[in-house]
Amino acid sequence: MTLSHRAPLALLGGQPIFEQPAHVGRPNIANRQRFLDRTGEMLDRRWLSNNGPLVQEFERRIAEFIGVKHCICVCNATIGLEIAIRAAGLKGEVIVPSFTFIATAHALQWQEITPVFADINPATHNLDPARIERHITPRTTAILGTHVWGRPCPVESLAEIAQRHGLKLMFDAAPAFGCSHHGRMIGGFGLAEVFSFHATKFLNSFEGGAITTNDDEFAAKIRLMTNFGFSGYDNVIYIGTNGKMTEVSAAMGLTNLESIEDLVAVNRCNYEAYRIGLSGIPGIVLMPFNSAERNNYQYVVLEIDEADYGLTREELIRVLHAENVLARKYFWPGCHRMEPYRSVYPYAGIFLPETERVAARVIILPTGTAMSEASVALVCGILRSAAEQSDKIRTALSGKVNA
Ligand code: T4K
């Protein structure tokens, strides 16, 4: 897979250090045989979707793992968010971070609810409670926080603000499966939380997600809304949609869930290798995780300070991509700079200085079972060489731009 980290950088005339692309979000596939056995049994049963036995088992296991009363699996987290938002009766305006995946905002706008973007705390990349109240208006109905990178939102402060203003509180927990906050697993906070099991998440069910809640009535409503609103044969009592998870997705999810500790261990090992390999490189800060909590370590997040590193984030991305390290810039440029929000609120950035600053500095590096400590060391070697040769790289890049 790899050549040598001593080879010249590809942008300076060398061969790419990685022969095959190293992706952010390469799927983890735990016990292949166990998955195939489950799938074979599923085919024998001829029960492929609509609340089948594998989905029921996956829901039970997730609820047990998190310690939450209800889990409803869905076909993806975006639909999960849409269902939870509709079931909660949100309307008008909902406060969300702009520093999140676009699905958080779109799930609201899709239902003609206005996402109102609030700024983040630059130290955590999560919503900053001190910057929320200025956005609350008579039309505000909820706060929808995202546990960015799987690091928990300031749940208590958000709950206090929500309660004081009579707002609902929900969480986009797409990246946070397997993470805890003050010793409690994420999934039980607010009215509901929504996880993603997309292929790129550390625990995947191909596509998929789950809505978790401790509210019995809310859970019952969500379950029906996920299946068109049907309450028994021939009786529809809500506007619903088709949010059902398939059996084959649940087979994958269950199989990966059985190996969750191994998957976390690999991510943790890679994270440690990055921490050691990046130490001492000026201008690079590796986002820390609180080791007193459970973390899934699925995102390796760097902030690049151009003045100290010698290259901008964009220049470094070009260096990495030339080496076949397909680092990403999540969540650049922020939801408020994407359509339709960019056109509707062209000046939203005035209220989002930290979002804009962080979004311009962040790089996400590959991890997961497709990476090894050795390949992580090579990525770190690239980052170190790039800093040492930043002048040459800038010259090479300006040549490419001018060519
Ligand atoms: N809220 C938050 C905070 C989220 O982060 C997300 C999803 C959601 C809500 C919505 O959840 P879902 O509705 O998706 O369940 C990816 C994922 O598609 C998306 O699920 C994820 N967040 C987001 C952070 O990342 P893209 O547009 O970056 O995906 P893409 O196609 O560029 O793939 C990422 C990398 O992974 C590429 O280098 C290719 C590689 N890859 C991808 C797939 C699917 C593979 O190697 N194998 C694969 O099978 O959004």
Side-chain angles (χ1 to χ4, degrees), residues 85-148:
I85 287 163
R86 189 177 276 274
L90 307 193
K91 49 189 189 308
E93 297 172 357
V94 171
I95 294 173
V96 284
S98 172
F99 194 69
T100 180
F101 192 58
I102 194 68
T104 323
H106 277 359
L108 292 161
Q109 190 67 52
W110 192 258
Q111 305 179 65
E112 300 189 357
I113 298 166
T114 304
V116 175
F117 299 116
D119 211 0
I120 54 169
N121 176 341
T124 65
H125 298 185
N126 275 319
L127 272 179
D128 181 350
R131 296 164 201 256
I132 285 184
E133 283 180 285
R134 67 185 67 166
H135 297 289
I136 296 177
T137 73
R139 297 188 72 230
T140 311
T141 56
I143 300 170
L144 174 57
T146 298
H147 302 299
V148 176

Side-chain angles (χ1 to χ4, degrees), residues 155-178:
V155 170
E156 292 75 18
S157 312
L158 296 182
E160 190 274 317
I161 294 170
Q163 195 185 21
R164 198 148 35 81
H165 293 271
L167 307 176
K168 296 204 163 119
L169 176 64
M170 300 203 302
F171 293 101
D172 177 341
F177 192 76

Side-chain angles (χ1 to χ4, degrees), residues 22-27 75-79 81 100-104 146-148 172-175 195-201 207-209 299 326 328 330-331:
H23 294 273
V24 172
R26 200 77 169 145
C75 54
N76 60 61
T78 307
I79 293 282
L81 284 165
T100 180
F101 192 58
I102 194 68
T104 323
T146 298
H147 302 299
V148 176
D172 177 341
F195 295 103
S196 172
F197 304 133
H198 181 256
T200 55
K201 297 293 187 237
E207 290 272 359
Y299 288 103
L326 303 186
R328 299 297 295 263
Y330 298 133
F331 297 109

Side-chain angles (χ1 to χ4, degrees), residues 72 189 286 294 370:
I72 299 103
F189 295 103
L286 173 65
R294 285 188 67 131

